[in-house]
């Protein structure tokens, strides 16, 4: 099930323009709306919106580490986890020379997940089952010849919601996603999973809000003990 895959994301990460100061949200104050009052509205920058609830990758081979850190932080509540910490942990369970040449594999991610007390599960699924995946998972996409790990948050209708650690949050057309995907999902399974994780409630495109994408948390009966013993993914 797990094969080592080339994960070279240099061209993608370069587009993030590392080194530039990150724009931050600020409060905008409006006076005179109501006499004697001041209205304050939090405003989010485009970059913040792009990488909201997503751990950004910092190296050209760490898309797997950043994707895994995203799930640990936002689906399991590991608030202090960083790409750097996951990367350091991964380096303890892999052949470093192989990683520098070929990138991380799903087996590497699975071995690391087992070391931190969770379980890594890989599944080969049919394309029509994408909508049934009820937890955020890691998938490997072939983007113009480059293998790249991203977080798949959910699939609804003709859209697949992706957390790309190099380019940010985005929505892919289902056909585009299927053309790039290898039919395998990697799930992090274990206690502590938040069934109402923000990863299952991605922000809608600013120009295309649809009522069909209304978020509904994973029902408790579906995940049972949150260890997913009886229904690990579906």
């Amino acid at each position: 099930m797990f094969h080592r895959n080339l994960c070279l994301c240099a061209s993608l990460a370069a587009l993030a323009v590392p080194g530039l100061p990150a724009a931050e949200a600020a409060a905008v104050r409006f006076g005179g709306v109501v006499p004697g009052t001041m209205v304050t509205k939090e405003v989010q920058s485009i970059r913040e919106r792009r990488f909201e609830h997503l751990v950004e990758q910092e190296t050209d081979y760490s898309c797997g580490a950043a994707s895994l850190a995203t799930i640990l932080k936002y689906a399991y509540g590991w608030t202090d986890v960083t790409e750097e910490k996951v990367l350091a942990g991964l380096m303890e369970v892999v052949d470093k020379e192989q990683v520098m040449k070929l990138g991380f594999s799903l087996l590497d991610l699975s071995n690391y997940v087992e070391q931190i007390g969770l379980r890594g599960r890989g599944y080969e699924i049919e394309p029509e089952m994408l909508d049934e995946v009820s937890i955020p998972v890691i998938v490997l996409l072939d983007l113009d010849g480059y293998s790249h790990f991203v977080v798949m948050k959910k699939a609804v209708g003709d859209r697949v919601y992706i957390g790309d650690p190099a380019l940010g949050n985005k929505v892919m057309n289902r056909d585009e996603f299927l053309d790039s995907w290898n039919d395998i999902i990697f799930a992090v399974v274990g206690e502590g999973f938040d069934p109402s994780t923000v990863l299952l409630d991605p922000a809608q495109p600013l120009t295309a809000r649809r009522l069909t994408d209304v978020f509904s948390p994973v029902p408790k009966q579906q995940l049972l003990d949150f260890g997913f013993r009886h229904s690990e993914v579906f």
Side-chain angles (χ1 to χ4, degrees):
M1 179 64 70
F2 295 125
H3 302 282
R4 182 168 296 281
N5 295 282
L6 183 65
C7 183
L8 298 177
C9 312
S11 61
L12 296 175
L15 296 177
V17 193
L20 290 182
E24 297 181 354
V28 177
R29 306 180 71 185
F30 299 92
V33 178
V34 177
T37 66
M38 184 67 72
V39 177
T40 301
K41 174 66 176 178
E42 290 293 328
V43 177
Q44 191 178 45
S45 72
I46 293 177
R47 180 175 176 78
E48 283 181 310
R49 176 68 177 269
R50 183 185 304 160
F51 286 95
E52 184 177 28
H53 304 138
L54 180 62
V55 176
E56 186 175 357
Q57 74 180 79
E58 299 295 338
T59 74
D60 59 0
Y61 61 89
S62 61
C63 51
S67 295
L68 187 53
T70 294
I71 289 180
L72 293 176
K73 183 171 185 175
Y74 295 109
Y76 282 88
W78 293 27
T79 56
D80 62 341
V81 72
T82 63
E83 179 203 55
E84 184 179 8
K85 289 182 179 179
V86 174
L87 201 54
L90 280 167
M91 285 300 187
E92 295 179 358
V93 298
V94 300
D95 182 324
K96 295 181 180 179
E97 289 189 8
Q98 284 289 95
V99 167
M100 297 305 293
K101 293 178 181 178
L102 302 176
F104 292 108
S105 69
L106 286 178
L107 179 59
D108 296 331
L109 300 187
S110 180
N111 289 338
Y112 171 73
V113 165
E114 299 286 338
Q115 279 206 347
I116 60 176
L118 299 171
R119 303 194 305 279
R121 295 290 183 265
Y123 302 91
E124 185 171 0
I125 67 173
E126 297 297 327
E128 56 269 21
M129 295 183 66
L130 270 181
D131 296 75
E132 304 301 318
V133 179
S134 59
I135 63 174
V137 295
I138 295 174
V139 297
L140 185 71
L141 301 181
D142 185 332
L143 303 176
D144 297 326
Y146 292 100
S147 295
H148 185 50
F149 285 118
V150 302
V151 176
M152 189 192 86
K153 301 176 181 181
K154 68 175 183 178
V156 179
D158 63 348
R159 294 193 283 176
V160 181
Y161 292 83
I162 296 298
D164 184 326
L167 298 179
N169 294 301
K170 61 182 181 180
V171 182
M172 294 184 69
N173 175 274
R174 180 181 289 262
D175 290 337
E176 178 190 2
F177 176 85
L178 294 179
D179 287 342
S180 304
W181 177 49
N182 64 356
D183 296 340
I184 294 174
I185 61 174
F186 177 78
V188 178
V189 178
E191 296 183 3
F193 175 75
D194 178 6
S196 298
T197 169
V198 293
L199 296 180
L200 293 176
D201 185 22
Q204 300 302 305
L206 295 176
T207 58
R209 297 181 183 274
R210 299 183 186 177
L211 293 177
T212 55
D213 286 351
V214 174
F215 167 63
S216 58
V218 180
K220 290 185 178 180
Q221 65 268 24
Q222 186 174 357
L223 295 182
L224 298 175
D225 61 350
F226 296 148
F228 317 153
R229 294 292 182 180
H230 304 287
S231 180
E232 289 198 327
V233 179
F234 308 106

